[in-house]
Amino acid sequence: MRNSTPLEGPVLRYAADHSMAPGPVHRWIVAETDRRFPDLVQMQIESHQGPLLAVLVELLAARRVLEVGTFTGLSSLWIAEALPADGRLVCCDVSEDYTSVARQAWERAGVADRIELHLAPALDTLARLDGTFDLAFLDADKENYPRYLPELIRLVRPGGAIVADNTLWYGRVVDDDDRSAETEGIRRFNADAAASPWLDVALLPMADGVSLMYRRSSQRS
Ligand SMILES: C[S@@+](CC[C@H](N)C(=O)[O-])C[C@H]1O[C@@H](n2cnc3c(N)ncnc32)[C@H](O)[C@@H]1O
């Protein structure tokens, strides 16, 4: 397999410098997360994933977006700021503590009125949701990824997209000795997504693996 450009420090910096720039509230979230949850900063999306989410919202002309796994709000802010003023982002998380940072960020950025936060296990929240979403971003507990997939296929409109983070799981997906629940969850998710007749999948080897999935209107034969 060809790997055209070695993606290391200066090249990653160049890519970031030629993508949408983070705003002051994105930078505040990063600093506040570092201050309050210094051991958990790796939970945030990487810097180049925010522009990808924003561009997808714009490409899809999305008005209704679903996020599973909000943490301190970095991905949700990129999504919410790309939505039109009457757009809606439904966020799912279980932590009042983490999402208190997100809530402050949404207020600071002036997008709080576009966002609905559900604090409950996401499988319960998704089961209660109906209507359709243009885009869903999955970034929560890895062991449950396979259970989220059919719910997201149900909730995302034909022609919409599902994006899942961490689908290479630090390379552990190819470590046969790793039988942890999280790694097995990601493996099952990747296998189910690739086999789904409702999805066209591009697993992008960026960040920790980002699966970009088109929700088809008819089953692939
Ligand atoms: C990797 S972090 C999300 C990072 C976020 N997308 C960002 O850009 O900062 C995963 C989040 O999933 C949440 N989570 C874990 N298990 C969950 C569950 N069963 N239902 C909903 N959220 C869950 C955690 O509380 C955590 O905030």
Side-chain angles (χ1 to χ4, degrees):
M1 273 191 165
R2 231 162 64 97
N3 191 4
S4 308
T5 305
L7 292 179
E8 283 161 12
V11 184
L12 284 178
R13 181 76 263 149
Y14 179 91
D17 287 347
H18 294 80
S19 297
M20 292 170 76
V25 185
H26 298 110
R27 289 197 293 274
W28 178 83
I29 292 175
V30 172
E32 190 67 2
T33 304
D34 203 23
R35 190 180 72 79
R36 286 192 48 189
F37 309 108
D39 299 335
L40 299 178
V41 286
Q42 80 287 349
M43 296 236 280
Q44 294 183 306
I45 53 165
E46 291 186 25
S47 52
H48 41 297
Q49 289 178 270
L52 175 67
L53 289 169
V55 169
L56 281 171
V57 169
E58 290 164 344
L59 281 172
L60 289 163
R63 305 185 78 78
R64 212 163 169 244
V65 180
L66 174 62
E67 175 175 85
V68 184
T70 294
F71 190 45
T72 51
L74 190 56
S75 49
S76 64
L77 184 62
W78 278 99
I79 293 168
E81 286 191 330
L83 282 168
D86 63 347
R88 284 288 170 272
L89 170 61
V90 174
C91 287
C92 307
D93 208 289
V94 281
S95 171
E96 179 77 57
D97 200 17
Y98 301 156
T99 56
S100 65
V101 177
R103 284 184 199 272
Q104 285 181 66
W106 300 334
E107 289 292 342
R108 282 171 180 244
V111 294
D113 59 342
R114 298 178 197 174
I115 302 176
E116 201 182 291
L117 173 63
H118 294 252
L119 280 180
L123 282 169
D124 297 345
T125 302
L126 297 187
R128 282 194 298 269
L129 291 175
D130 52 19
T132 55
F133 292 84
D134 303 297
L135 171 67
F137 177 52
L138 174 59
D139 190 17
D141 45 332
K142 310 310 165 193
E143 58 273 31
N144 273 323
Y145 265 37
R147 295 184 187 87
Y148 293 129
L149 186 63
E151 288 299 308
L152 298 181
I153 293 173
R154 175 179 70 82
L155 288 164
V156 170
R157 69 166 165 83
I162 301 169
V163 179
D165 198 13
N166 306 108
T167 51
L168 292 177
W169 200 227
Y170 306 98
R172 291 177 202 147
V173 283
V174 295
D175 176 358
D176 292 339
D177 293 332
D178 189 334
R179 295 284 157 200
S180 65
E182 291 176 323
T183 304
E184 293 284 30
I186 295 283
R187 283 196 192 107
R188 179 81 262 154
F189 175 88
N190 287 336
D192 290 353
S196 172
W198 294 108
L199 298 174
D200 290 332
V201 182
L203 200 172
L204 307 175
M206 64 180 281
D208 185 31
V210 175
S211 290
L212 178 55
M213 295 169 269
Y214 175 71
R215 196 333 191 153
R216 298 170 57 91
S217 53
S218 60
Q219 298 192 51
R220 195 180 335 97
S221 50

